[in-house]
Amino acid sequence: MKKISGLLLVGCSALALSGCGADDVASPGNGGIVINNPTPTPTPTPTPGTGLVVAPDACPTFAATGGLTNDGTITGPEGTWRVCTLPALVDKNASLPKVAGVVYRINGRVDVGCDGGFAAPTSSATFTTTTASCASKVLSADTNVTLTIDPGAILFGENTSEAGWLVVNRGNKINAEGTAAKPIIFTSRQNISGAATEASNGQWGGVVLLGRGIVTDCNYGSTAASTCERDTEGAVNKAVFGGRDNAYNAGIMKYVQIRYSGYLLSEGKELQALTTGGVGSGTTLEYIQSVNSSDDGAEFFGGKVQMKHYIAVNADDDSLDIDTGLEGYFQYLLLLQKSGSGDALMEIDSNGLEEQLPRQKTVIANFTAIQPASSSNNESNDQASVLVRGNSDVTWVNGVLVSPNNECLRVNGTGTVPATIKAYSTVLSCNATKFLSTGSYATGSTTAASMFATGTNLNNDAFTSTLTSTFVNGSGESGVAGYTGIKTLSSYFDATTFIGAVKDASDTWYKGWTCDTTTGAFGSGQACTALPTT
């Protein structure tokens, strides 16, 4: 069974985060920058008029206690940037504006509000704090803090005594809504200084959203008593998420890039680009690109997640990882792994406590998932490009999976009612074996192949991929009709007539807000190793 990655956490007494790491994970990126703290502030270099970034003299106003700390400048290929460090605790509604020449520093762990617990406190008392930590506080009301990040803002993680990461605690929100022209970028300090490369990953932590959605595999309480909560394996201060609210709203993340994340805290305990724990359908997740995470591209624990337009490029573990009773609805996914790196394109399970309810239920629609032909098997941890196990019910709709040198699907049976797969209008390009059936499926009549049911529902496990520009449908994909009943699976889905994530060359939802790598060139004209200057 896979490990659930833990985190070495300090700060809030009841925060939640969880990240599943591979057995073998990439080491954190090395190198970095020197942050200069001169007095007085020097004349900007390069000088105005050169077309490069020029650092302003001061940081903008920030409403949270302590404000932003002016920590000097960083010089990189794009020019010189003013470094404005966030406080360890954002205790009031506050905004990070887009200011030319400013980057915002996440130094170690940054908490958005304090954790309000399993259910929202009912008192009308207001939250006040005079310290930079949530530790030992007993809240009589949710802190109700919203961190707003303006379109085009750039934030970077700084690993000091612990990984730099941003956590939005239960009872608080993030409002990170970029635009197609001005995406919000979360990245590493190496990216700012110009030291990040195509091979870089694990250079900071990531973004974590926590909520009160329903979870399984309880660390506290029980599913039978509807009191189930989880914490992170190995956490020094217990990190807790979960509740009974699958409509929970943790805020909005839209038109966002998360680059070079996934910091390795200790063996098998690693953050990924985006982690959610118990968030609900009130949370908006759209147009999110994960680039070079040293763990998963994104991982979702419990709750009810609805997400559209997700791109994972070069994840060093799984491109999409979903766990612990998640009810998930995902549409328009591009999962692109690089040759010889990464584990499964999708890993779907419930981590060993398979009889707990609710069962994991996930529908993944209009996806294009690719392990390159030059890769013999990538990592072998999951033995196939997709691993489904652990009391998980999964539906594939309008899918394209290309993994010519690997088995496409492994279903592992555990528990009395093990995992199931249903597929509609989904095509596979695999090696000769195609399917693996393990655990209780190893000797039974129900197999991964029988669940996929090629030849029915327009499914084809012997498809020859004709994708163009890496991930755009070609003539073969265009000849497969999309599943007409997609809206019956969830009203959240768009009704589509095509398979895959990208219908044809005129379908360009991925352009403009993304950055480019050699694995995935999205035509945005911006390399992920570089930064926008406007």
Short mmCIF file of all heavy atoms in Angstrom, two decimals, residues 197-202 256-261 273 288-298 310-320 333-339 341-345 368-370 372 378 470-471 509-510 513-522 526-529:
data_model
loop_
_atom_site.label_atom_id
_atom_site.label_comp_id
_atom_site.label_asym_id
_atom_site.label_seq_id
_atom_site.Cartn_x
_atom_site.Cartn_y
_atom_site.Cartn_z
N THR A 197 16.02 25.02 -13.69
CA THR A 197 16.22 24.42 -15.01
C THR A 197 15.07 23.49 -15.33
O THR A 197 14.17 23.27 -14.51
CB THR A 197 17.54 23.63 -15.05
OG1 THR A 197 17.39 22.44 -14.22
CG2 THR A 197 18.72 24.45 -14.54
N GLU A 198 15.11 22.91 -16.52
CA GLU A 198 14.08 21.94 -16.91
C GLU A 198 14.03 20.74 -15.95
O GLU A 198 13.00 20.10 -15.82
CB GLU A 198 14.36 21.44 -18.33
CG GLU A 198 13.91 22.37 -19.42
CD GLU A 198 12.43 22.23 -19.76
OE1 GLU A 198 11.88 21.14 -19.54
OE2 GLU A 198 11.85 23.21 -20.25
N ALA A 199 15.14 20.45 -15.28
CA ALA A 199 15.20 19.30 -14.39
C ALA A 199 14.88 19.65 -12.94
O ALA A 199 14.79 18.77 -12.09
CB ALA A 199 16.58 18.66 -14.46
N SER A 200 14.71 20.91 -12.62
CA SER A 200 14.52 21.34 -11.23
C SER A 200 13.18 20.86 -10.68
O SER A 200 12.17 20.83 -11.39
CB SER A 200 14.58 22.87 -11.13
OG SER A 200 15.86 23.36 -11.46
N ASN A 201 13.17 20.52 -9.40
CA ASN A 201 11.92 20.27 -8.67
C ASN A 201 12.23 20.28 -7.18
O ASN A 201 13.38 20.42 -6.77
CB ASN A 201 11.25 18.95 -9.09
CG ASN A 201 12.09 17.72 -8.84
OD1 ASN A 201 12.99 17.72 -8.01
ND2 ASN A 201 11.80 16.64 -9.55
N GLY A 202 11.20 20.20 -6.36
CA GLY A 202 11.39 20.10 -4.91
C GLY A 202 12.10 21.27 -4.29
O GLY A 202 12.82 21.10 -3.31
N VAL A 256 -3.78 29.80 -12.26
CA VAL A 256 -2.67 29.73 -11.31
C VAL A 256 -1.62 28.75 -11.83
O VAL A 256 -1.97 27.65 -12.29
CB VAL A 256 -3.15 29.30 -9.92
CG1 VAL A 256 -1.98 29.02 -8.99
CG2 VAL A 256 -4.05 30.36 -9.31
N GLN A 257 -0.35 29.12 -11.74
CA GLN A 257 0.77 28.21 -11.97
C GLN A 257 1.44 27.92 -10.63
O GLN A 257 1.63 28.83 -9.82
CB GLN A 257 1.81 28.82 -12.89
CG GLN A 257 1.35 29.19 -14.28
CD GLN A 257 2.45 29.93 -15.05
OE1 GLN A 257 3.63 29.86 -14.72
NE2 GLN A 257 2.05 30.66 -16.08
N ILE A 258 1.80 26.64 -10.41
CA ILE A 258 2.57 26.25 -9.22
C ILE A 258 3.80 25.49 -9.72
O ILE A 258 3.68 24.38 -10.23
CB ILE A 258 1.75 25.39 -8.25
CG1 ILE A 258 0.41 26.07 -7.92
CG2 ILE A 258 2.54 25.13 -6.97
CD1 ILE A 258 -0.51 25.25 -7.05
N ARG A 259 4.96 26.11 -9.59
CA ARG A 259 6.20 25.59 -10.18
C ARG A 259 7.18 25.06 -9.13
O ARG A 259 7.29 25.63 -8.04
CB ARG A 259 6.91 26.69 -10.97
CG ARG A 259 6.10 27.43 -12.01
CD ARG A 259 6.97 28.50 -12.66
NE ARG A 259 6.28 29.32 -13.65
CZ ARG A 259 6.85 30.30 -14.33
NH1 ARG A 259 8.13 30.60 -14.11
NH2 ARG A 259 6.17 31.00 -15.22
N TYR A 260 7.91 24.00 -9.46
CA TYR A 260 9.11 23.52 -8.74
C TYR A 260 8.85 23.22 -7.27
O TYR A 260 9.70 23.44 -6.41
CB TYR A 260 10.25 24.54 -8.89
CG TYR A 260 10.51 24.93 -10.32
CD1 TYR A 260 10.32 26.23 -10.76
CD2 TYR A 260 10.91 23.97 -11.26
CE1 TYR A 260 10.53 26.58 -12.09
CE2 TYR A 260 11.12 24.31 -12.58
CZ TYR A 260 10.92 25.61 -13.00
OH TYR A 260 11.12 25.95 -14.31
N SER A 261 7.69 22.70 -6.96
CA SER A 261 7.28 22.45 -5.57
C SER A 261 7.61 21.01 -5.17
O SER A 261 8.25 20.27 -5.88
CB SER A 261 5.79 22.72 -5.45
OG SER A 261 5.09 21.82 -6.30
N ALA A 273 2.54 20.22 -5.35
CA ALA A 273 2.14 21.55 -5.80
C ALA A 273 0.87 22.01 -5.10
O ALA A 273 0.83 23.08 -4.48
CB ALA A 273 1.97 21.56 -7.32
N ILE A 288 -5.51 25.38 -13.41
CA ILE A 288 -4.36 25.25 -12.51
C ILE A 288 -3.30 24.40 -13.20
O ILE A 288 -3.59 23.29 -13.67
CB ILE A 288 -4.78 24.64 -11.17
CG1 ILE A 288 -5.72 25.61 -10.44
CG2 ILE A 288 -3.55 24.34 -10.31
CD1 ILE A 288 -6.28 25.07 -9.16
N GLN A 289 -2.08 24.91 -13.26
CA GLN A 289 -0.96 24.20 -13.86
C GLN A 289 0.07 23.88 -12.78
O GLN A 289 0.55 24.76 -12.07
CB GLN A 289 -0.29 25.04 -14.95
CG GLN A 289 0.88 24.31 -15.65
CD GLN A 289 1.65 25.19 -16.61
OE1 GLN A 289 1.69 26.41 -16.46
NE2 GLN A 289 2.29 24.58 -17.60
N SER A 290 0.41 22.59 -12.67
CA SER A 290 1.46 22.12 -11.78
C SER A 290 2.68 21.77 -12.63
O SER A 290 2.58 20.97 -13.57
CB SER A 290 0.97 20.89 -11.01
OG SER A 290 2.05 20.25 -10.35
N VAL A 291 3.83 22.36 -12.30
CA VAL A 291 5.04 22.19 -13.10
C VAL A 291 6.16 21.65 -12.23
O VAL A 291 6.53 22.26 -11.22
CB VAL A 291 5.49 23.52 -13.73
CG1 VAL A 291 6.75 23.33 -14.57
CG2 VAL A 291 4.38 24.13 -14.58
N ASN A 292 6.70 20.48 -12.58
CA ASN A 292 7.90 19.94 -11.94
C ASN A 292 7.76 19.80 -10.43
O ASN A 292 8.64 20.21 -9.66
CB ASN A 292 9.12 20.81 -12.27
CG ASN A 292 9.63 20.61 -13.69
OD1 ASN A 292 8.85 20.50 -14.62
ND2 ASN A 292 10.94 20.57 -13.86
N SER A 293 6.67 19.20 -9.99
CA SER A 293 6.56 18.84 -8.58
C SER A 293 7.39 17.59 -8.33
O SER A 293 7.33 16.63 -9.10
CB SER A 293 5.10 18.56 -8.22
OG SER A 293 5.00 18.00 -6.93
N SER A 294 8.14 17.58 -7.24
CA SER A 294 8.93 16.39 -6.92
C SER A 294 8.09 15.31 -6.25
O SER A 294 8.56 14.21 -6.00
CB SER A 294 10.12 16.74 -6.03
OG SER A 294 9.70 17.16 -4.76
N ASP A 295 6.83 15.61 -5.96
CA ASP A 295 5.89 14.58 -5.51
C ASP A 295 4.75 14.55 -6.53
O ASP A 295 5.00 14.55 -7.74
CB ASP A 295 5.42 14.87 -4.09
CG ASP A 295 4.75 13.65 -3.45
OD1 ASP A 295 5.34 12.55 -3.51
OD2 ASP A 295 3.65 13.80 -2.90
N ASP A 296 3.51 14.56 -6.10
CA ASP A 296 2.38 14.53 -7.03
C ASP A 296 2.14 15.90 -7.65
O ASP A 296 2.46 16.94 -7.07
CB ASP A 296 1.12 14.09 -6.29
CG ASP A 296 1.29 12.74 -5.61
OD1 ASP A 296 1.86 11.83 -6.25
OD2 ASP A 296 0.87 12.61 -4.45
N GLY A 297 1.53 15.88 -8.84
CA GLY A 297 1.11 17.14 -9.41
C GLY A 297 0.10 17.82 -8.51
O GLY A 297 0.19 19.02 -8.23
N ALA A 298 -0.89 17.06 -8.06
CA ALA A 298 -1.86 17.52 -7.07
C ALA A 298 -2.43 16.30 -6.37
O ALA A 298 -2.50 15.21 -6.97
CB ALA A 298 -2.98 18.34 -7.72
N TYR A 310 -7.13 21.30 -15.54
CA TYR A 310 -5.95 21.00 -14.71
C TYR A 310 -4.86 20.43 -15.59
O TYR A 310 -5.09 19.50 -16.37
CB TYR A 310 -6.32 20.02 -13.60
CG TYR A 310 -5.15 19.37 -12.89
CD1 TYR A 310 -4.21 20.15 -12.23
CD2 TYR A 310 -4.99 17.99 -12.89
CE1 TYR A 310 -3.14 19.56 -11.58
CE2 TYR A 310 -3.94 17.40 -12.23
CZ TYR A 310 -3.00 18.18 -11.57
OH TYR A 310 -1.93 17.59 -10.93
N ILE A 311 -3.66 20.99 -15.46
CA ILE A 311 -2.49 20.53 -16.22
C ILE A 311 -1.39 20.14 -15.24
O ILE A 311 -1.01 20.94 -14.38
CB ILE A 311 -1.96 21.62 -17.17
CG1 ILE A 311 -3.02 22.00 -18.19
CG2 ILE A 311 -0.70 21.15 -17.87
CD1 ILE A 311 -2.62 23.17 -19.09
N ALA A 312 -0.89 18.91 -15.36
CA ALA A 312 0.26 18.46 -14.58
C ALA A 312 1.37 18.10 -15.54
O ALA A 312 1.20 17.24 -16.40
CB ALA A 312 -0.11 17.26 -13.71
N VAL A 313 2.52 18.77 -15.40
CA VAL A 313 3.67 18.55 -16.26
C VAL A 313 4.85 18.11 -15.40
O VAL A 313 5.21 18.78 -14.43
CB VAL A 313 4.04 19.83 -17.04
CG1 VAL A 313 5.20 19.56 -17.97
CG2 VAL A 313 2.85 20.36 -17.81
N ASN A 314 5.43 16.97 -15.72
CA ASN A 314 6.68 16.51 -15.10
C ASN A 314 6.55 16.22 -13.61
O ASN A 314 7.51 16.42 -12.85
CB ASN A 314 7.81 17.51 -15.32
CG ASN A 314 8.17 17.68 -16.78
OD1 ASN A 314 7.84 16.84 -17.62
ND2 ASN A 314 8.86 18.76 -17.10
N ALA A 315 5.41 15.75 -13.15
CA ALA A 315 5.31 15.32 -11.75
C ALA A 315 6.24 14.14 -11.54
O ALA A 315 6.26 13.20 -12.34
CB ALA A 315 3.88 14.95 -11.40
N ASP A 316 6.98 14.16 -10.43
CA ASP A 316 7.95 13.09 -10.19
C ASP A 316 7.35 11.90 -9.47
O ASP A 316 8.00 10.88 -9.29
CB ASP A 316 9.14 13.64 -9.39
CG ASP A 316 10.45 12.95 -9.78
OD1 ASP A 316 10.63 12.67 -10.97
OD2 ASP A 316 11.28 12.70 -8.88
N ASP A 317 6.10 12.03 -9.03
CA ASP A 317 5.35 10.88 -8.52
C ASP A 317 4.10 10.75 -9.39
O ASP A 317 4.22 10.54 -10.59
CB ASP A 317 5.03 11.07 -7.04
CG ASP A 317 4.51 9.79 -6.38
OD1 ASP A 317 4.51 8.73 -7.03
OD2 ASP A 317 4.09 9.86 -5.21
N ASP A 318 2.92 10.92 -8.86
CA ASP A 318 1.69 10.75 -9.63
C ASP A 318 1.21 12.12 -10.14
O ASP A 318 1.25 13.11 -9.43
CB ASP A 318 0.61 10.11 -8.78
CG ASP A 318 1.10 8.83 -8.10
OD1 ASP A 318 1.68 7.99 -8.82
OD2 ASP A 318 0.92 8.70 -6.88
N SER A 319 0.68 12.13 -11.36
CA SER A 319 0.16 13.39 -11.89
C SER A 319 -1.14 13.79 -11.20
O SER A 319 -1.40 14.97 -10.97
CB SER A 319 -0.07 13.26 -13.40
OG SER A 319 1.15 13.04 -14.07
N LEU A 320 -1.96 12.80 -10.87
CA LEU A 320 -3.21 13.03 -10.13
C LEU A 320 -3.33 11.94 -9.07
O LEU A 320 -3.31 10.76 -9.40
CB LEU A 320 -4.41 12.98 -11.08
CG LEU A 320 -5.79 13.07 -10.43
CD1 LEU A 320 -6.01 14.45 -9.80
CD2 LEU A 320 -6.90 12.76 -11.44
N LEU A 333 -8.41 17.45 -18.29
CA LEU A 333 -7.14 17.19 -17.63
C LEU A 333 -6.07 16.85 -18.67
O LEU A 333 -6.29 16.00 -19.53
CB LEU A 333 -7.26 16.01 -16.66
CG LEU A 333 -7.78 16.29 -15.25
CD1 LEU A 333 -9.23 16.75 -15.28
CD2 LEU A 333 -7.64 15.04 -14.37
N LEU A 334 -4.92 17.52 -18.56
CA LEU A 334 -3.73 17.17 -19.32
C LEU A 334 -2.69 16.68 -18.32
O LEU A 334 -2.19 17.46 -17.50
CB LEU A 334 -3.19 18.38 -20.08
CG LEU A 334 -3.91 18.78 -21.36
CD1 LEU A 334 -3.34 20.09 -21.90
CD2 LEU A 334 -3.79 17.69 -22.42
N LEU A 335 -2.38 15.39 -18.37
CA LEU A 335 -1.41 14.78 -17.47
C LEU A 335 -0.23 14.33 -18.31
O LEU A 335 -0.32 13.35 -19.06
CB LEU A 335 -2.04 13.59 -16.74
CG LEU A 335 -3.40 13.84 -16.06
CD1 LEU A 335 -3.90 12.58 -15.39
CD2 LEU A 335 -3.33 15.00 -15.08
N LEU A 336 0.87 15.05 -18.22
CA LEU A 336 2.01 14.86 -19.11
C LEU A 336 3.26 14.55 -18.29
O LEU A 336 3.77 15.41 -17.56
CB LEU A 336 2.24 16.11 -19.96
CG LEU A 336 1.04 16.69 -20.71
CD1 LEU A 336 1.42 17.96 -21.45
CD2 LEU A 336 0.44 15.66 -21.66
N GLN A 337 3.73 13.33 -18.40
CA GLN A 337 4.95 12.95 -17.69
C GLN A 337 6.14 12.95 -18.64
O GLN A 337 5.99 12.74 -19.84
CB GLN A 337 4.78 11.57 -17.05
CG GLN A 337 3.77 11.57 -15.91
CD GLN A 337 3.68 10.24 -15.19
OE1 GLN A 337 3.96 9.19 -15.75
NE2 GLN A 337 3.27 10.28 -13.93
N LYS A 338 7.32 13.19 -18.07
CA LYS A 338 8.51 13.15 -18.90
C LYS A 338 9.12 11.76 -18.86
O LYS A 338 8.87 10.97 -17.94
CB LYS A 338 9.53 14.19 -18.45
CG LYS A 338 10.09 14.04 -17.06
CD LYS A 338 11.05 15.19 -16.76
CE LYS A 338 11.56 15.12 -15.33
NZ LYS A 338 12.46 16.25 -15.02
N SER A 339 9.90 11.47 -19.86
CA SER A 339 10.46 10.14 -19.99
C SER A 339 11.32 9.77 -18.79
O SER A 339 12.18 10.55 -18.37
CB SER A 339 11.31 10.07 -21.27
OG SER A 339 11.85 8.79 -21.42
N SER A 341 10.62 9.54 -15.69
CA SER A 341 10.31 10.14 -14.40
C SER A 341 8.81 10.05 -14.14
O SER A 341 8.01 10.02 -15.06
CB SER A 341 10.74 11.61 -14.37
OG SER A 341 12.13 11.74 -14.45
N GLY A 342 8.47 10.02 -12.89
CA GLY A 342 7.07 9.93 -12.51
C GLY A 342 6.66 8.50 -12.25
O GLY A 342 7.29 7.54 -12.70
N ASP A 343 5.60 8.35 -11.49
CA ASP A 343 5.05 7.04 -11.21
C ASP A 343 3.76 6.91 -12.01
O ASP A 343 3.81 6.95 -13.23
CB ASP A 343 4.83 6.89 -9.70
CG ASP A 343 4.60 5.44 -9.28
OD1 ASP A 343 4.67 4.56 -10.13
OD2 ASP A 343 4.34 5.20 -8.08
N ALA A 344 2.61 6.85 -11.39
CA ALA A 344 1.37 6.68 -12.13
C ALA A 344 0.85 8.02 -12.66
O ALA A 344 1.07 9.07 -12.05
CB ALA A 344 0.31 6.04 -11.24
N LEU A 345 0.17 7.96 -13.78
CA LEU A 345 -0.57 9.13 -14.23
C LEU A 345 -1.72 9.43 -13.29
O LEU A 345 -2.04 10.59 -13.01
CB LEU A 345 -1.10 8.89 -15.65
CG LEU A 345 -0.03 8.89 -16.75
CD1 LEU A 345 -0.55 8.20 -18.00
CD2 LEU A 345 0.42 10.31 -17.07
N THR A 368 -6.57 13.71 -21.21
CA THR A 368 -5.50 13.18 -22.05
C THR A 368 -4.31 12.96 -21.14
O THR A 368 -3.78 13.92 -20.56
CB THR A 368 -5.15 14.15 -23.19
OG1 THR A 368 -6.31 14.36 -24.01
CG2 THR A 368 -4.03 13.59 -24.04
N ALA A 369 -3.91 11.71 -20.98
CA ALA A 369 -2.85 11.33 -20.04
C ALA A 369 -1.76 10.58 -20.80
O ALA A 369 -2.06 9.58 -21.48
CB ALA A 369 -3.43 10.46 -18.93
N ILE A 370 -0.53 11.05 -20.68
CA ILE A 370 0.54 10.55 -21.55
C ILE A 370 1.80 10.20 -20.75
O ILE A 370 2.34 11.05 -20.02
CB ILE A 370 0.91 11.59 -22.62
CG1 ILE A 370 -0.32 11.95 -23.46
CG2 ILE A 370 2.03 11.08 -23.51
CD1 ILE A 370 -0.08 13.11 -24.42
N PRO A 372 5.45 9.04 -22.07
CA PRO A 372 6.05 9.05 -23.42
C PRO A 372 6.53 7.70 -23.88
O PRO A 372 6.89 6.82 -23.09
CB PRO A 372 7.21 10.04 -23.27
CG PRO A 372 7.42 10.21 -21.83
CD PRO A 372 6.17 9.88 -21.12
N ASN A 378 8.62 4.24 -16.73
CA ASN A 378 8.78 5.22 -15.68
C ASN A 378 9.11 4.48 -14.38
O ASN A 378 9.77 3.44 -14.41
CB ASN A 378 7.58 6.15 -15.58
CG ASN A 378 7.62 7.22 -16.68
OD1 ASN A 378 8.33 7.08 -17.67
ND2 ASN A 378 6.88 8.29 -16.48
N THR A 470 1.76 16.94 -29.29
CA THR A 470 1.84 16.18 -28.03
C THR A 470 0.48 15.78 -27.49
O THR A 470 0.27 14.62 -27.13
CB THR A 470 2.62 16.96 -26.95
OG1 THR A 470 3.91 17.31 -27.44
CG2 THR A 470 2.78 16.12 -25.68
N PHE A 471 -0.50 16.69 -27.41
CA PHE A 471 -1.73 16.41 -26.67
C PHE A 471 -3.01 16.83 -27.39
O PHE A 471 -4.10 16.71 -26.82
CB PHE A 471 -1.69 17.08 -25.30
CG PHE A 471 -1.34 18.55 -25.35
CD1 PHE A 471 -2.28 19.49 -25.71
CD2 PHE A 471 -0.06 18.97 -25.05
CE1 PHE A 471 -1.95 20.84 -25.76
CE2 PHE A 471 0.29 20.33 -25.09
CZ PHE A 471 -0.67 21.27 -25.46
N TRP A 509 -7.84 26.26 -24.81
CA TRP A 509 -8.08 26.67 -23.43
C TRP A 509 -6.80 26.69 -22.60
O TRP A 509 -6.73 27.36 -21.55
CB TRP A 509 -9.10 25.75 -22.76
CG TRP A 509 -8.73 24.30 -22.64
CD1 TRP A 509 -9.13 23.29 -23.46
CD2 TRP A 509 -7.91 23.68 -21.63
NE1 TRP A 509 -8.61 22.09 -23.04
CE2 TRP A 509 -7.86 22.30 -21.92
CE3 TRP A 509 -7.22 24.16 -20.52
CZ2 TRP A 509 -7.13 21.40 -21.12
CZ3 TRP A 509 -6.50 23.28 -19.73
CH2 TRP A 509 -6.46 21.91 -20.03
N TYR A 510 -5.77 25.99 -23.03
CA TYR A 510 -4.51 25.86 -22.29
C TYR A 510 -3.52 26.98 -22.58
O TYR A 510 -2.46 27.06 -21.96
CB TYR A 510 -3.85 24.52 -22.64
CG TYR A 510 -3.69 24.33 -24.14
CD1 TYR A 510 -2.60 24.85 -24.81
CD2 TYR A 510 -4.66 23.66 -24.88
CE1 TYR A 510 -2.47 24.70 -26.20
CE2 TYR A 510 -4.55 23.52 -26.25
CZ TYR A 510 -3.45 24.05 -26.90
OH TYR A 510 -3.33 23.91 -28.27
N TRP A 513 -2.20 31.38 -20.17
CA TRP A 513 -2.03 31.41 -18.71
C TRP A 513 -1.01 30.39 -18.22
O TRP A 513 -0.70 30.35 -17.03
CB TRP A 513 -3.37 31.16 -18.02
CG TRP A 513 -3.99 29.82 -18.36
CD1 TRP A 513 -4.73 29.52 -19.46
CD2 TRP A 513 -3.89 28.61 -17.60
NE1 TRP A 513 -5.11 28.19 -19.43
CE2 TRP A 513 -4.60 27.63 -18.31
CE3 TRP A 513 -3.28 28.28 -16.40
CZ2 TRP A 513 -4.71 26.31 -17.84
CZ3 TRP A 513 -3.38 26.98 -15.94
CH2 TRP A 513 -4.09 26.01 -16.66
N THR A 514 -0.48 29.59 -19.13
CA THR A 514 0.46 28.53 -18.78
C THR A 514 1.89 28.95 -19.12
O THR A 514 2.13 29.93 -19.81
CB THR A 514 0.13 27.26 -19.56
OG1 THR A 514 0.00 27.60 -20.95
CG2 THR A 514 -1.16 26.64 -19.07
N CYS A 515 2.86 28.15 -18.65
CA CYS A 515 4.24 28.29 -19.08
C CYS A 515 4.66 27.00 -19.77
O CYS A 515 4.02 25.96 -19.63
CB CYS A 515 5.17 28.62 -17.91
SG CYS A 515 5.24 27.37 -16.60
N ASP A 516 5.76 27.06 -20.54
CA ASP A 516 6.15 25.96 -21.42
C ASP A 516 7.36 25.20 -20.89
O ASP A 516 8.29 25.79 -20.32
CB ASP A 516 6.51 26.50 -22.81
CG ASP A 516 5.32 27.13 -23.51
OD1 ASP A 516 4.18 26.73 -23.21
OD2 ASP A 516 5.53 28.01 -24.37
N THR A 517 7.35 23.88 -21.09
CA THR A 517 8.51 23.03 -20.86
C THR A 517 8.72 22.19 -22.11
O THR A 517 7.90 22.19 -23.03
CB THR A 517 8.30 22.09 -19.65
OG1 THR A 517 7.38 21.05 -20.02
CG2 THR A 517 7.76 22.85 -18.44
N THR A 518 9.82 21.45 -22.15
CA THR A 518 10.04 20.58 -23.30
C THR A 518 9.02 19.45 -23.34
O THR A 518 8.71 18.92 -24.40
CB THR A 518 11.47 20.00 -23.29
OG1 THR A 518 11.69 19.33 -22.03
CG2 THR A 518 12.51 21.10 -23.44
N THR A 519 8.49 19.05 -22.18
CA THR A 519 7.46 18.00 -22.14
C THR A 519 6.13 18.52 -22.67
O THR A 519 5.43 17.81 -23.40
CB THR A 519 7.28 17.49 -20.70
OG1 THR A 519 8.52 16.96 -20.24
CG2 THR A 519 6.21 16.41 -20.63
N GLY A 520 5.79 19.73 -22.30
CA GLY A 520 4.53 20.32 -22.73
C GLY A 520 4.72 21.75 -23.17
O GLY A 520 4.95 22.63 -22.34
N ALA A 521 4.66 21.98 -24.48
CA ALA A 521 4.75 23.34 -25.02
C ALA A 521 3.34 23.81 -25.31
O ALA A 521 2.67 23.28 -26.21
CB ALA A 521 5.62 23.36 -26.28
N PHE A 522 2.87 24.78 -24.56
CA PHE A 522 1.48 25.21 -24.63
C PHE A 522 1.29 26.47 -25.46
O PHE A 522 0.19 27.02 -25.49
CB PHE A 522 0.94 25.42 -23.21
CG PHE A 522 1.05 24.18 -22.36
CD1 PHE A 522 2.05 24.06 -21.40
CD2 PHE A 522 0.19 23.12 -22.55
CE1 PHE A 522 2.17 22.91 -20.64
CE2 PHE A 522 0.30 21.96 -21.79
CZ PHE A 522 1.30 21.86 -20.84
N GLN A 526 6.15 31.65 -22.94
CA GLN A 526 6.80 31.88 -21.65
C GLN A 526 7.34 30.56 -21.13
O GLN A 526 6.58 29.65 -20.81
CB GLN A 526 5.80 32.46 -20.65
CG GLN A 526 6.33 32.64 -19.23
CD GLN A 526 7.23 33.84 -19.11
OE1 GLN A 526 6.79 34.96 -19.26
NE2 GLN A 526 8.51 33.61 -18.85
N ALA A 527 8.66 30.44 -21.07
CA ALA A 527 9.26 29.25 -20.50
C ALA A 527 9.03 29.22 -19.00
O ALA A 527 9.03 30.27 -18.34
CB ALA A 527 10.76 29.21 -20.80
N CYS A 528 8.84 28.02 -18.44
CA CYS A 528 8.64 27.91 -17.00
C CYS A 528 9.89 28.29 -16.22
O CYS A 528 9.80 28.62 -15.03
CB CYS A 528 8.20 26.50 -16.64
SG CYS A 528 6.58 26.03 -17.30
N THR A 529 11.04 28.25 -16.85
CA THR A 529 12.28 28.67 -16.19
C THR A 529 12.42 30.18 -16.14
O THR A 529 13.36 30.69 -15.53
CB THR A 529 13.50 28.07 -16.91
OG1 THR A 529 13.42 28.38 -18.31
CG2 THR A 529 13.55 26.56 -16.73
#
